[in-house]
């Protein structure tokens, strides 16, 4: 019998949990904007960027404003430097849908209005001191958002790590086709796996929510 993977154990957000998380961080971000505070607005950026890109946390911490290309209509992109490849120049280009483009443009505008110098080398999510938000900073912001959204276990800790945002994106991509065909190639390219074998190990499984739908 094969050993269950993290995905088998449900380490990804259901669509309902994802909506719940986004709703709570939106509420806090709106409140902090109204009060001239930064923390909730930055927390929303962490959640939205992590959930959309599915990037590893070290890749998230390395993102800069210059990695965005918002100039081409219909083909807006973000460049993610792929951490697990040997080449220092390894990266993947991810297309941005309209919803995420609108969000990221509002985030850039907010930072500019708040007085940040928006050069290409500027961290996409800066710390309060202006440097890149650290890996620990990304993790802490994510965990705080999950706690606010009630996504906690009995021990009071978040049930989902920021790496589970990556698994969530993978599961959404794996199940995105309306004809029911599973799309491992799209998952592999989006997440930057070195081979289809790695992708299949994590995502070529029956998801827990699929099993629930079956019994219902």
């Amino acid at each position: 019998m094969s050993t269950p993977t993290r995905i088998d154990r449900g380490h990804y957000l259901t669509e309902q949990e994802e909506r719940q998380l986004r709703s709570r961080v939106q509420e806090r971000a709106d409140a902090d904007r109204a009060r001239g505070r930064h923390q909730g607005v930055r927390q929303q950026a962490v959640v939205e960027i992590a959930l959309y890109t599915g990037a590893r946390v070290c890749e998230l911490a390395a993102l800069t404003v210059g990695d965005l290309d918002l100039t081409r209509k219909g083909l807006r992109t973000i460049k993610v430097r792929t951490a697990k490849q040997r080449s220092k120049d390894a990266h993947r280009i991810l297309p941005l849908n309209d919803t995420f483009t609108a969000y990221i443009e509002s985030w850039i505008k907010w930072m500019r209005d708040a007085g940040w110098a928006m050069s290409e080398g500027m961290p996409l999510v800066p710390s309060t001191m202006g440097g890149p938000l650290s890996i620990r900073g990304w993790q802490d912001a994510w965990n705080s958002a999950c706690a606010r959204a009630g996504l906690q276990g009995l021990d009071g800790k978040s049930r989902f790590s920021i790496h589970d945002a990556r698994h969530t994106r993978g599961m959404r991509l794996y199940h995105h086709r309306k004809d029911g065909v599973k799309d491992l190639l799209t998952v592999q390219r989006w997440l930057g796996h070195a081979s289809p074998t790695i992708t299949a190990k994590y995502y070529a499984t029956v998801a827990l929510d699929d099993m629930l739908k079956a019994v219902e």
Side-chain angles (χ1 to χ4, degrees), residues 180-201:
V181 175
K182 307 308 181 186
D183 191 350
L184 281 174
L185 179 59
T186 296
V187 180
Q188 180 198 354
R189 293 188 63 181
W190 190 285
L191 297 183
H193 290 153
S195 74
T197 303
I198 295 174
T199 309
K201 173 184 175 183

Side-chain angles (χ1 to χ4, degrees), residues 13 17-29 39-51 136-152 156-162 165:
L13 282 75
E17 288 166 336
E18 187 175 345
R19 286 193 295 269
Q20 182 176 327
L21 177 59
R22 284 197 157 111
S23 175
R24 295 298 182 272
V25 297
Q26 180 72 62
E27 290 172 1
R28 184 184 182 189
Q39 188 173 2
V41 188
R42 182 183 293 109
Q43 185 180 86
Q44 184 183 27
V46 165
V47 169
E48 292 293 343
I49 295 169
L51 283 172
R136 180 62 181 270
W138 280 84
Q139 293 168 331
D140 287 348
W142 171 270
N143 291 338
S144 176
C146 286
R148 178 173 291 273
L151 301 178
Q152 300 165 290
K157 296 181 180 180
S158 172
R159 299 204 316 271
F160 302 102
S161 71
I162 194 169

Side-chain angles (χ1 to χ4, degrees), residues 78-151:
I78 186 169
K79 180 171 72 174
V80 177
R81 294 168 188 81
T82 306
K84 291 296 184 74
Q85 301 293 331
R86 292 183 178 181
S87 171
K88 293 182 180 180
D89 297 325
H91 65 270
R92 56 194 186 276
I93 303 295
L94 306 181
L96 308 184
N97 64 19
D98 291 342
T99 301
F100 186 74
T101 296
Y103 170 74
I104 209 69
E105 286 178 337
S106 71
W107 165 247
I108 295 295
K109 182 181 184 301
W110 178 84
M111 286 205 299
R112 184 179 291 112
D113 292 346
W116 296 100
M118 299 307 295
S119 64
E120 287 198 355
M122 176 78 177
L124 185 56
V125 181
S127 68
T128 55
M129 301 301 292
L133 187 65
S134 67
I135 289 175
R136 180 62 181 270
W138 280 84
Q139 293 168 331
D140 287 348
W142 171 270
N143 291 338
S144 176
C146 286
R148 178 173 291 273
L151 301 178

